[in-house]
Amino acid sequence: MSDASWPKAVLFDLDGTLIDSLPDIHAALNETMASYGEPPFTLEAVAVMVGAGVQALIERAYAALGKSIDPASRDKVVARYLSIYGPRATELTTLNAGASDTLRILGEAGFQLGVVTNKPRAETDDILRHFGILERMALVVGGDAGPRKKPAPDLLLFAAQELGLEPADILFVGDSENDVDAAKGAGMKVVALRGGYTALGADTLGADLVVDRLDEIPGQLHSLTA
């Protein structure tokens, strides 16, 4: 691995990394839960439920209410949530600071770019298209691609295979323990963004680099090649 050749690709998590989608997730979850007679959650409470996919979001919501939910009932609530979230996925969502410039700089430098998220592919594409960054992506892998979701490494290994690259040639950028654990499990170096959707501080996750803004990454790539 040398400064001149590494990385060949930079892959990003979506929620909490490229975008601040929490306001729309929060609103959709509360509308979903209200339709089942459940009380609303605060924004802060939902922030720590996000990151492991929609099934986990619903399971964590019921757990926060002190209730269990069987898989069949959970899947019905998941479908209800997705029907509410999909049409409003970009209503309150914003790009995170430096996201657009980071993608432009890395793309112009010749790195392949992609997104690997536990969010379903359809919503992911809609969001990336809304912000005008879908065309920058060589690859988009959603949580419904087939492999196990993060924190398992499977989605990242699938992305590497699709790109025709070795995992060691890829840098992954995320905001949570799910992202760091998945990248490490896949054999990729990983950058953690502070301020994301995690109950743990980014500095405690064991990432190879921790940044406050995405646009710090292009200037820090050399520090990761040692």
Side-chain angles (χ1 to χ4, degrees):
M1 184 182 296
S2 67
D3 289 1
S5 65
W6 188 90
K8 291 184 170 64
V10 182
L11 304 179
F12 295 85
D13 172 52
L14 186 64
D15 297 297
T17 302
L18 282 178
I19 62 170
D20 179 12
S21 53
L22 186 58
D24 279 315
I25 294 172
H26 172 247
L29 180 62
N30 277 347
E31 184 176 338
T32 301
M33 299 303 284
S35 72
Y36 290 97
E38 303 294 353
F41 294 102
T42 65
L43 195 69
E44 294 74 19
V46 176
V48 298
M49 299 177 188
V50 176
V54 183
Q55 289 183 340
L57 173 68
I58 299 305
E59 289 171 355
R60 290 168 178 175
Y62 275 86
L65 296 173
K67 298 182 177 183
S68 60
I69 185 169
D70 63 84
S73 298
R74 177 205 61 203
D75 289 346
K76 290 179 182 177
V77 180
V78 165
R80 173 69 175 156
Y81 168 85
L82 290 173
S83 73
I84 293 170
Y85 177 74
R88 64 154 305 134
T90 57
E91 190 171 314
L92 300 173
T93 294
T94 57
L95 278 177
N96 272 336
S100 184
D101 285 343
T102 300
L103 295 173
R104 176 182 55 80
I105 292 167
L106 292 175
E108 289 175 353
F111 299 109
Q112 292 191 76
L113 303 176
V115 168
V116 180
T117 174
N118 285 341
K119 185 186 289 293
R121 174 67 185 271
E123 284 81 4
T124 299
D125 281 354
D126 286 346
I127 291 167
L128 296 175
R129 188 179 297 110
H130 173 79
F131 289 111
I133 57 177
L134 180 60
E135 63 270 19
R136 294 192 181 276
M137 302 303 173
L139 176 79
V140 177
V141 176
D144 50 0
R148 291 183 300 164
K149 298 180 179 69
K150 298 175 287 179
D154 302 42
L155 285 176
L156 290 177
L157 293 171
F158 175 77
Q161 184 177 29
E162 290 293 294
L163 290 171
L165 297 175
E166 293 297 321
D169 289 326
I170 298 172
L171 174 67
F172 188 60
V173 182
D175 67 292
S176 73
E177 61 270 30
N178 285 338
D179 298 316
V180 174
D181 290 348
K184 287 189 166 187
M188 298 178 185
K189 287 198 173 183
V190 58
V191 175
L193 177 69
R194 293 187 181 98
Y197 307 155
T198 173
L200 305 174
D203 295 273
T204 71
L205 301 180
D208 298 289
L209 176 68
V210 182
V211 297
D212 291 308
R213 290 172 53 102
L214 292 171
D215 50 12
E216 296 174 36
I217 294 171
Q220 294 289 326
L221 287 180
H222 67 280
S223 71
L224 293 165
T225 60

